[in-house]
């Protein structure tokens, strides 16, 4: 076969130099046609669009043609031709075809219309489908959007540790990390397992958040963000939970509540606009096949000013709804932790806009949030989205050493491993704020997919660490 | 204090609108001066450069001045003024100063000239030093360079799993991940620990490489890269080893050996050039304080064509060196795994250029590398760098199912958990290639730092998981 340099299909479909000899390589999606002419839809993953290969059957061996089945890998030399039919404007008149890899009829993706559940069982092959190709190209683009946003704003990407010997929020179920021989666990006289001979010389776990280390960095480099894997050993089998997920956590020195809210809103609009600008083909496919309201919802977020709503006012609105006869499953009262139904009422029914809720009762928020003058509330922020609910959780951090310690004591938080965190408040403390975004939550919103296991390549959930 | 919107120091030092009222916020690096005038060097982490704050003492309270100590956090309003002395061209004549956070004399970074060992013990504060500020800004820039390079080339960023139930290369010491209660380990009749009640229903570990999952993605999306944390539970206390490090692993469908080498060389030159173009101030500092030959070495890599050297030729060169009287500690013979001294001889003495060594004996390389026709060698590539040694390891992958299986059988590799990997060779297999770059190895080269623990924020090593 003549050696012609390969053109990716995403680039080929933009070319207009009809008559040129080109080479494409990719996998057969479908093959159809008559006894004279066959049409192969070839895809190479660079785009959701296939290129049509027109095959004049009399020019090719029957043995070769037999191997051109769904899933087979081909290299095709041919003439770039203006397409007469609907679909793409360019196609290829095949001159030479090489089958690089055959694909027999045990291939699980031969037939169409597989369930999401089945595709999860073959997660090693599902990126070859239209839906998951689209999802993972969008996932890539959202990661690039995140790095672009923060880099342009002068934030530094900061790698906080994955293995940790301290439990960030004094809560959260963690995975233990060990090199100990579990068949020979030594114990001390009190019956406690001795960790001195474990790899790190003490008990270690997988991180649940990089925030505290991120604060160390922000109080040195000014503005940083993390973007890395995070872990929760919760036995939650829901469409919203993963044991391993990716989190983005910016942290900004000298930011106050208003600047934090500006950053949250600007950030998420930037990401969604990036998807609309850079993933049009994939979004159109998902809009057609997965979620008819998707693109409209994305456009609305980009063009809408988010509501900024103190918790106390939110409770009033919910209480008024109850008074007018709206039924909630869970009771509404000042001090309650809002349930999903409450958040959705505010976002989807009352305001019909994303809402940034602020100034929460301190009892329902983490110890490190900045305490307001009222003695009752803290400067936490939750960004609430239609369908998704909470997509971002953030706060101004309590930078005053005495106030922070008082709260830590009040909550009996074990701080013995936290001396380094407290040092930031001791040595040149500064006002600062930050937030956390669950990357897969963002992807649920941007792709319209219903289950979080379908927006990460290889989901880790209870009883599942396949591939 | 009057509210003026903050200017980051990196931006302020570029301004020329002298006479303007400005606000800066940051931390005091030094304070010196006379009884009339004091000079504060203020840094906010946005750049290695400090801005000089000129303080006319008679305009400020003594109580306030007393708090302006090394490490204190200040907000300063003042007039942007052209500087007369050496150093930066702009400085600030202070009008108002607020001490946001005091810093007493227990602050460990008050005096200069701390050892790297001591700074590792206060890794939570070391990003506030010039050296580590520079290193972590360069680290950020190298991450951005990596994403930019691959995004521009149409590669998709792909998140391979961190927790895995299969051991990638059938080798490598791994960390176990578990939620089992170690005080109550149930065993079966053979005395084996029962993992059915562990979180994933089986034994699980931290990944040592994303390559195999990366191959799944490349054979669907065409070209992908991973960039994430990777783990080795090796008890290696050396300046080159970390238990937790970040790895970049691109994987490209349809690439052959020559295209792989092109990609490796182009990639690393892109990253080094990015550092020279975007981190000039930080590199100048490191060049002056840490490694006098740094910038020259970086420029040389960018401007030099890498040598491409078959292993067999490399052995000949080494044998000739021995014949001429060069002494190596380890013997040189065809089939040997090159020691660091051999690699350095080739790179630093013989060629005085980076070397891409290829076509290694199959016995010293991994099972998945593409077998050459000679039956003896495989299409592996190591990129060897001055001082660093191997900075990239890559290969063309064996795409032929039968050849791959023969090698797996020969090496007795347990493939029971690898059915999904073999499916790529079964269903539309395609030629493909990829490589792995240890991110911290790249950073050692680009920063000139001597110890790998000093190019990652919070190093994890044997007996150390602090912060």
């Amino acid at each position: 076969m003549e050696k012609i340099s390969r053109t990716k299909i995403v680039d080929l479909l933009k070319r207009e130099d009809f008559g040129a000899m080109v080479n494409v390589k990719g996998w057969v999606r479908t093959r159809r046609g008559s006894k004279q002419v066959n049409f192969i839809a070839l895809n190479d993953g660079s785009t959701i669009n296939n290129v049509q290969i027109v095959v004049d059957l009399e020019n090719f061996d029957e043995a070769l043609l037999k191997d051109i089945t769904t899933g087979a890998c081909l290299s095709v030399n041919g003439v770039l031709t203006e397409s007469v039919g609907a679909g793409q404007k360019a196609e290829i008149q095949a001159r030479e075809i090489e089958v690089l890899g055959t694909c027999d009829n045990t291939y699980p993706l031969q037939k169409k219309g597989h369930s999401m559940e089945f595709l999860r069982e073959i997660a090693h092959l599902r990126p070859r489908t239209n839906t998951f190709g689209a999802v993972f190209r969008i996932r890539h683009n959202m990661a690039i959007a995140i790095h672009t946003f923060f880099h342009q704003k002068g934030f530094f990407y900061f790698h906080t540790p994955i293995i940790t010997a301290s439990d960030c929020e004094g809560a959260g179920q963690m995975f233990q990390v060990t090199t100990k021989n579990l068949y020979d666990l030594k114990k001390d006289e009190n019956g406690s397992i001795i960790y001195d001979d474990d790899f790190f010389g003490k008990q270690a776990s997988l991180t649940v958040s990089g925030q505290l280390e991120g604060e160390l960095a922000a109080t040195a480099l000014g503005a940083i963000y993390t973007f890395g894997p995070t872990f929760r050993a919760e036995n939650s089998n829901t469409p919203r939970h993963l044991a391993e997920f990716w989190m983005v956590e910016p942290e900004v020195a000298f930011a106050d509540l208003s600047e934090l809210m500006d950053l949250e809103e600007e950030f998420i609009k930037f990401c969604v606009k990036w998807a609309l600008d850079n993933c049009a083909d994939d979004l159109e496919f998902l809009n057609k096949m997965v979620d008819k309201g998707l693109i409209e919802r994305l456009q609305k977020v980009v063009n809408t000013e988010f509501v900024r709503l103190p918790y106390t006012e939110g409770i009033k609105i919910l209480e008024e709804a109850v008074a007018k006869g709206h039924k909630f499953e869970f009771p509404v009262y000042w001090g309650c932790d809002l349930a999903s139904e409450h958040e959705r009422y505010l976002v989807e029914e009352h305001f019909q806009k994303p809402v940034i809720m602020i100034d929460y009762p301190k009892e329902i928020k983490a110890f490190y949030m900045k305490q307001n003058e009222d003695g009752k509330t803290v400067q936490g922020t939750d960004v609430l989205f239609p369908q998704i609910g909470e997509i971002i959780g953030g706060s101004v951090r309590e930078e005053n050493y005495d106030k922070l310690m008082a709260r830590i004591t009040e909550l009996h938080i074990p701080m013995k491993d936290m001396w380094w965190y407290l040092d930031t408040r001791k040595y040149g403390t500064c006002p600062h704020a930050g937030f956390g975004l669950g990357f897969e939550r963002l992807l649920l919103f941007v792709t319209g997919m219903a289950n979080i296991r379908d927006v990460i390549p290889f989901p880790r959930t209870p009883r599942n660490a396949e591939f």
Side-chain angles (χ1 to χ4, degrees), chain A:
Chain A
M1 196 160 132
E2 194 192 349
K3 172 108 185 150
I4 302 171
S5 120
R6 173 187 171 222
T7 304
K8 282 190 183 184
I9 292 170
V10 67
D11 299 321
L12 186 108
L13 294 176
K14 291 176 199 148
R15 282 172 65 165
E16 295 185 345
D17 55 333
F18 303 117
M21 274 298 287
V22 296
N23 171 270
V24 289
K25 296 182 169 77
W27 294 270
V28 175
R29 284 292 170 85
T30 59
R31 175 180 165 193
R32 62 190 174 78
S34 66
K35 280 180 188 165
Q36 287 79 45
V37 185
N38 268 200
F39 302 97
I40 299 165
L42 201 73
N43 188 285
D44 67 2
S46 63
T47 161
I48 196 159
N49 298 310
N50 305 320
V51 66
Q52 175 159 282
I53 312 288
V54 184
V55 183
D56 200 339
L57 295 190
E58 65 176 14
N59 298 336
F60 294 89
D61 276 354
E62 218 169 295
L64 179 126
L65 292 169
K66 200 172 51 62
D67 281 344
I68 303 178
T69 55
T70 295
C73 183
L74 306 185
S75 176
V76 177
N77 286 344
V79 181
L80 188 69
T81 312
E82 194 161 8
S83 183
V84 288
Q88 303 305 321
K89 65 172 190 268
E91 61 186 27
I92 294 173
Q93 299 281 343
R95 289 286 176 272
E96 293 178 288
I97 298 177
E98 186 185 350
V99 178
L100 300 172
T102 58
C103 190
D104 70 19
N105 61 16
T106 64
Y107 185 50
L109 288 174
Q110 284 191 96
K111 292 167 203 120
K112 289 198 173 180
H114 298 294
S115 72
M116 290 292 165
E117 290 73 21
F118 173 71
L119 290 170
R120 260 171 242 148
E121 286 169 25
I122 52 163
H124 64 310
L125 296 175
R126 66 179 183 170
R128 301 182 182 195
T129 64
N130 281 328
T131 300
F132 286 94
V135 166
F136 295 137
R137 280 185 296 270
I138 292 172
R139 189 176 167 108
H140 159 76
N141 267 286
M142 289 299 89
I144 296 297
I146 287 164
H147 285 296
T148 303
F149 177 82
F150 286 119
H151 181 62
Q152 284 176 355
K153 285 185 123 28
F155 285 57
F156 301 111
Y157 183 30
F158 192 80
H159 286 133
T160 50
I162 309 300
I163 297 173
T164 175
S166 49
D167 176 350
C168 164
E169 309 196 358
Q173 289 164 277
M174 297 173 89
F175 288 102
Q176 184 169 358
V177 174
T178 183
T179 54
K180 284 186 80 71
N181 177 355
L182 301 193
Y183 288 97
D184 185 19
L185 289 169
K186 292 192 180 57
K187 293 179 186 166
D188 66 15
E189 65 266 30
N190 303 319
S192 296
I193 293 170
I194 295 171
Y195 281 100
D196 190 64
D197 63 345
D198 204 353
F199 190 90
F200 297 107
K202 55 169 92 168
Q203 209 175 338
S205 319
L206 293 178
T207 184
V208 297
S209 163
Q211 179 196 319
L212 302 197
E213 289 91 351
E215 289 187 51
L216 301 177
T219 54
L221 301 170
I224 64 93
Y225 65 108
T226 73
F227 184 9
T230 316
F231 305 85
R232 296 284 152 82
E234 277 166 38
N235 194 13
S236 302
N237 256 308
T238 84
R240 302 267 144 185
H241 289 88
L242 291 167
E244 173 182 317
F245 56 99
W246 285 66
M247 189 125 89
V248 181
E249 297 182 285
E251 193 72 35
V252 200
F254 309 116
D256 62 17
L257 181 60
S258 149
E259 288 160 321
L260 173 65
M261 288 189 288
D262 288 348
L263 185 72
E264 290 170 342
E265 182 167 347
E266 191 186 347
F267 167 71
I268 208 148
K269 283 180 171 174
F270 182 93
C271 291
V272 174
K273 186 166 188 310
W274 185 285
L276 288 167
D277 291 347
N278 294 280
C279 309
D281 289 348
D282 289 322
L283 285 178
E284 268 164 40
F285 175 84
L286 294 172
N287 194 71
K288 205 170 115 193
M289 304 301 286
V290 172
D291 177 352
K292 306 263 183 243
L294 176 62
I295 291 178
E296 197 190 326
R297 207 159 54 242
L298 299 184
Q299 283 164 339
K300 205 173 163 200
V301 160
V302 171
N303 298 319
T304 304
E305 207 175 318
F306 294 5
V307 176
R308 298 177 179 199
L309 182 73
Y311 170 91
T312 303
E313 284 179 38
I315 292 294
K316 267 187 210 150
I317 292 166
L318 292 168
E319 284 174 339
E320 279 163 25
V322 171
K324 282 179 195 155
H326 193 97
K327 296 265 180 268
F328 291 116
E329 192 185 341
F330 297 98
V332 173
Y333 56 94
W334 198 97
C336 77
D337 206 351
L338 293 184
S340 171
E341 56 175 347
H342 304 141
E343 294 175 348
R344 294 188 72 149
Y345 177 83
L346 291 169
V347 171
E348 293 169 17
E349 296 191 46
H350 187 83
F351 290 107
Q352 297 180 29
K353 284 181 187 183
V355 170
I356 307 183
M357 188 170 273
I358 56 170
D359 294 335
Y360 283 85
K362 65 179 179 183
E363 283 73 19
I364 59 172
K365 288 290 179 187
F367 73 91
Y368 50 69
M369 294 195 183
K370 188 177 172 73
Q371 297 157 40
N372 280 319
E373 304 271 306
D374 62 14
K376 289 158 58 187
T377 60
V378 291
Q379 296 187 7
T381 68
D382 280 4
V383 181
L384 309 176
F385 256 44
Q387 295 204 325
I388 303 296
E390 183 195 327
I391 193 163
I392 280 180
S395 78
V396 182
R397 317 307 187 188
E398 180 56 68
E399 88 273 17
N400 182 288
Y401 182 86
D402 295 331
K403 287 188 190 170
L404 183 64
M405 275 309 290
R407 194 78 188 118
I408 284 169
T409 311
E410 204 174 348
L411 295 173
H412 307 293
I413 294 170
M415 290 302 283
K416 72 172 168 57
D417 294 329
M418 294 288 186
W419 59 275
W420 44 271
Y421 182 68
L422 293 172
D423 269 5
T424 55
R425 274 60 171 180
K426 230 151 116 180
Y427 300 127
T429 191
C430 73
H432 60 288
F435 67 79
L437 167 96
F439 186 53
E440 285 77 17
R441 290 276 173 97
L442 173 67
L443 285 170
L444 283 177
F445 183 74
V446 171
T447 63
M449 299 293 281
N451 192 313
I452 201 160
R453 298 166 197 218
D454 298 330
V455 295
I456 190 167
F458 303 102
R460 268 67 182 110
T461 52
R463 301 193 66 75
N464 175 36
E466 281 302 311
F467 313 105

